[in-house]
Amino acid sequence: MRTVLVTGGAGFIGSHVTQALLDRGFDVVCLDDFNDYYNPAFKRENVAPFLENPRFHLVEGDIRDRDLVFATYRQFGISTTVHLAARAGVRPSIANPRLYEEVNGVGTVNLLEAAHRFGAYTFIFGSTSSVYGINSKVPFSEEDPIAYPISPYAASKRGAELMCYTFHHLYGLKVTVLRFFTVYGPRQRPDMAIYKFTELLAKGKPVPRFGDGSMARDYTYIDDIVRGVMAAFDHEADFEIVNLGGSRTTTLQQLIELIARELGVPPLVEELPLQPGDVPITFADVSKAKRLWGWQPEVPIEEGISRFVRWFKAHRLG
């Protein structure tokens, strides 16, 4: 049975992927630094159910620490890497671009080097729809030119994608790059829009709405993302870039109204100017995932928001 390294395995997407791998009988090594980008207690809570499982191994540390990364591959005999650790967030990256390049760039290189050095030749990388920038063509296809990222976060993730290809070309690493489109669901990071809007509206406070509410996003429920990651895991590619998205758009105003309806409260809004780094729309063309793996999104935004609000009421409201 393969031993899988999940970087960022205590985070939102990482903890769900870790659960899926453990459910299938794999040994899983979670490498996470439990940084304070958001409350580390939430990440501790995410991995708490795994700690008694003998097939789960927790390594606390930073992917920028090359010695630690190499020691982890050596100690556990890693055969497959699911690289989800990242410094996330468009707006914070504008304030601290060096940190984003160090974590998302140098950290990724450390993992690629270790994967090559220790023969862990299957590498799955969690990228982002942000790499598409302001793309005038919708929906976004993996074949679209993406030479102009508009935030340090997007640039750092695109650079990491290119480095993944370089290691595939030079050393034969089998790499699948997954471009995630605005993932949401239980355990979601509290800095993300759906969580923040739900929390504010539940407390009777207005939601900060940047722009006129027409900005649109392709939201993807966590269960669909996990199925996509597992499909990449099962269908080992030489090198592929694949979109994983809900493949429909929801405007900011529609999202606010949908959350408010689920909570049974009025959709209060505070109007604010547009923010640097925000793109007007994201919209995934997922035909490649369907062609390669038979994957397509199954949870529509209405059902996903209903599930998230139920989780929020049970775990965060109080």
Side-chain angles (χ1 to χ4, degrees):
M1 187 61 72
R2 285 189 281 181
T3 299
V4 184
L5 173 65
V6 181
T7 69
F12 166 40
I13 299 174
S15 62
H16 283 277
V17 169
T18 294
Q19 181 68 70
L21 290 165
L22 290 171
D23 287 347
R24 289 178 53 169
F26 292 102
D27 283 0
V28 178
V29 179
C30 165
L31 174 57
D32 203 296
D33 69 350
F34 295 91
N35 66 61
D36 61 359
Y37 179 73
Y38 63 95
N39 189 347
F42 290 172
K43 290 173 269 192
R44 300 283 178 192
E45 181 182 309
N46 290 344
V47 297
F50 311 145
L51 296 176
E52 299 303 315
N53 189 326
R55 289 183 287 102
F56 177 78
H57 312 277
L58 179 61
V59 178
E60 295 192 33
D62 193 319
I63 59 172
R64 290 174 291 176
D65 184 341
R66 188 174 183 269
D67 290 341
L68 173 69
V69 168
F70 275 50
T72 300
Y73 277 80
R74 184 186 301 111
Q75 177 183 348
F76 293 99
I78 303 300
S79 61
T80 300
T81 308
V82 182
H83 176 27
L84 304 174
R87 200 72 182 192
V90 168
R91 292 170 195 157
S93 76
I94 296 172
N96 199 349
R98 180 181 294 275
L99 175 62
Y100 279 72
E101 183 56 32
E102 288 174 353
V103 175
N104 301 343
V106 174
T108 299
V109 170
N110 288 341
L111 291 158
L112 288 165
E113 283 190 317
H116 164 56
R117 176 76 61 87
F118 297 101
Y121 277 89
T122 303
F123 198 97
I124 297 169
F125 174 55
S127 190
T128 172
S129 60
S130 294
V131 300
Y132 287 104
I134 300 176
N135 195 349
S136 59
K137 171 190 161 295
V138 292
F140 300 170
S141 166
E142 297 89 346
E143 304 305 316
D144 293 346
I146 52 169
Y148 303 103
I150 64 168
S151 70
Y153 169 64
S156 68
K157 295 294 274 189
R158 179 54 180 154
E161 288 185 355
L162 294 171
M163 193 63 75
C164 284
Y165 178 78
T166 299
F167 272 73
H168 158 71
H169 174 77
L170 291 175
Y171 307 117
L173 264 63
K174 296 181 180 299
V175 177
T176 304
V177 173
L178 301 174
R179 290 179 178 161
F180 300 145
F181 281 68
T182 314
V183 189
Y184 73 101
R187 306 180 204 159
Q188 183 172 15
R189 297 197 330 260
D191 64 298
M192 297 185 73
I194 288 174
Y195 189 110
K196 285 199 299 185
F197 293 176
T198 302
E199 185 174 47
L200 288 168
L201 290 170
K203 294 178 178 179
K205 297 180 179 180
V207 166
R209 192 191 69 192
F210 297 101
D212 62 3
S214 63
M215 188 166 57
R217 291 289 179 270
D218 189 341
Y219 295 99
T220 320
Y221 192 67
I222 184 62
D223 290 4
D224 287 332
I225 289 293
V226 172
R227 288 192 303 103
V229 173
M230 298 309 292
F233 189 86
D234 292 334
H235 298 81
E236 189 177 88
D238 284 335
F239 182 87
E240 293 287 358
I241 296 176
V242 182
N243 288 337
L244 293 180
S247 199
R248 61 179 281 200
T249 60
T250 303
T251 68
L252 189 56
Q253 185 59 34
Q254 289 171 335
L255 180 68
I256 294 167
E257 292 172 358
L258 184 56
I259 293 170
R261 186 161 62 245
E262 285 295 326
L263 287 167
V265 300
L268 304 175
V269 169
E270 177 189 6
E271 296 185 9
L272 296 170
L274 286 170
Q275 298 293 291
D278 281 348
V279 298
I281 188 171
T282 63
F283 186 6
D285 178 345
V286 298
S287 57
K288 186 174 184 179
K290 185 174 182 180
R291 172 172 54 83
L292 291 176
W293 308 326
W295 181 94
Q296 57 187 1
E298 295 179 354
V299 182
I301 185 70
E302 296 82 4
E303 173 62 23
I305 291 296
S306 179
R307 294 184 193 181
F308 174 76
V309 169
R310 289 198 300 271
W311 173 85
F312 181 87
K313 288 179 175 178
H315 293 86
R316 295 289 184 261
L317 197 59

